[in-house]
Amino acid sequence: FTSAAARAAIEAEFERPVTEIFEHFEDTPVAAASIAQVHFAKVRDDEVPNGREVAVKVLRPGIERAVARDLDLFRWIAEVVESTQPRLRRLKPVVAVETFAESLRWEMDLRMEGAAASELHGNFDDDPMYVVPHVDWERTGRRVLTTEWISGIPVHSVDELVATGHDLEAIVAKASESFFLQVFRDGFFHADMHPGNAFVRNDGALCVVDFGIMGRIDRRTRYFLADMLLGFVTRDYAR
């Protein structure tokens, strides 16, 4: 969507001109997806402790109406399937749609994403090689999320990673270790870990972004998953 729409959304959220909120706001988005898009911006040196470059995520105008319309259609289809296709009832299509709807409700309040980023950041606060950006709460609201800017090479740019001397095995090991810690130690994990959401910094640190979809696992389920995984890697299929 247009930079004018993005600026209007920011000004409506904070009731101030964009020029008062950011020292510089880049009109061309650096990323865009189905629910929001991201702009590069700068704040004044004396306003933030972690650098002046920030990423500003803005919800699409009218996205709530569009999602509500689509969910109504999904619910109707699911109800038709359950009433006319008995063999598919075991898949619980209505429950699946409601689960999806609940996830979307959380995703469309960017304060929830900010809270998720802060929690994940705290869980890895003592690990300098797994980087979660700080949230700028002064510039974050329901429709706008501002975080520390992350610079790095996308993990899917393998040739560039090799050309700059990064150890691919170390990157894979770090990605695996961090995810296992999230699942089994914390029970709170990044649930949208596609290649576009992970970057490798110059020092080899793995940096992650986009915390709109997170997962939680209780202790009992963690033990169950660990036991199942152990049986798989040891080929003890009876276990």
Side-chain angles (χ1 to χ4, degrees):
F1 53 94
T2 66
S3 61
R7 286 174 174 266
I10 293 169
E11 292 179 349
E13 186 70 39
F14 301 114
E15 299 180 344
R16 294 162 57 199
V18 168
T19 52
E20 287 185 12
I21 303 169
F22 301 105
E23 185 178 60
H24 170 75
F25 182 83
E26 191 67 42
D27 282 329
T28 303
V30 296
S34 55
I35 288 178
Q37 70 185 27
V38 178
H39 291 258
F40 173 82
K42 290 183 179 180
V43 298
R44 294 170 183 81
D45 285 320
D46 59 347
E47 292 185 321
V48 288
N50 302 299
R52 52 197 300 260
E53 296 182 340
V54 294
V56 185
K57 186 173 186 176
V58 185
L59 282 187
R60 287 188 174 279
I63 188 63
E64 293 90 348
R65 290 191 302 275
V67 167
R69 181 190 60 211
D70 290 349
L71 287 173
D72 282 345
L73 177 60
F74 291 159
R75 289 187 182 99
W76 178 77
I77 293 172
E79 289 166 1
V80 170
V81 167
E82 285 204 4
S83 62
T84 63
Q85 302 291 324
R87 64 190 179 84
L88 296 179
R89 287 174 190 161
R90 64 184 180 84
L91 300 178
K92 301 181 179 179
V94 172
V95 174
V97 170
E98 288 306 324
T99 301
F100 184 51
E102 179 66 17
S103 176
L104 278 170
R105 277 192 287 271
W106 284 88
E107 199 173 354
M108 287 190 295
D109 186 339
L110 296 183
R111 294 170 298 186
M112 299 298 102
E113 181 174 343
S118 293
E119 183 172 349
L120 189 63
H121 178 91
N123 290 344
F124 285 86
D125 206 23
D126 59 349
D127 186 349
M129 300 307 288
Y130 186 79
V131 178
V132 179
H134 289 83
V135 177
D136 182 348
W137 286 109
E138 292 294 321
R139 297 172 179 81
T140 292
R142 189 175 66 84
R143 300 184 62 83
V144 180
L145 170 66
T146 303
T147 64
E148 170 188 5
W149 179 260
I150 293 293
S151 296
I153 301 171
V155 292
H156 55 74
S157 299
V158 177
D159 291 342
E160 188 176 356
L161 290 171
V162 171
T164 50
H166 285 291
D167 183 343
L168 299 186
E169 289 290 333
I171 294 169
V172 172
K174 188 62 188 176
S176 302
E177 176 194 25
S178 61
F179 190 71
F180 271 62
L181 288 171
Q182 290 173 53
V183 172
F184 293 110
R185 181 192 67 185
D186 306 324
F188 182 67
F189 62 95
H190 195 306
D192 194 18
M193 203 67 267
H194 61 77
N197 284 343
F199 302 84
V200 180
R201 208 167 56 184
N202 289 339
D203 60 358
L206 181 65
C207 310
V208 296
V209 299
D210 193 353
F211 311 96
I213 306 174
M214 306 295 287
R216 289 194 187 275
I217 305 179
D218 60 34
R219 184 174 293 274
R220 181 184 178 189
T221 307
R222 283 183 249 170
Y223 277 105
F224 177 81
L225 286 173
D227 204 42
M228 187 166 62
L229 182 62
L230 183 61
F232 179 77
V233 298
T234 60
R235 300 189 178 187
D236 182 357
Y237 301 122
R239 179 175 189 163

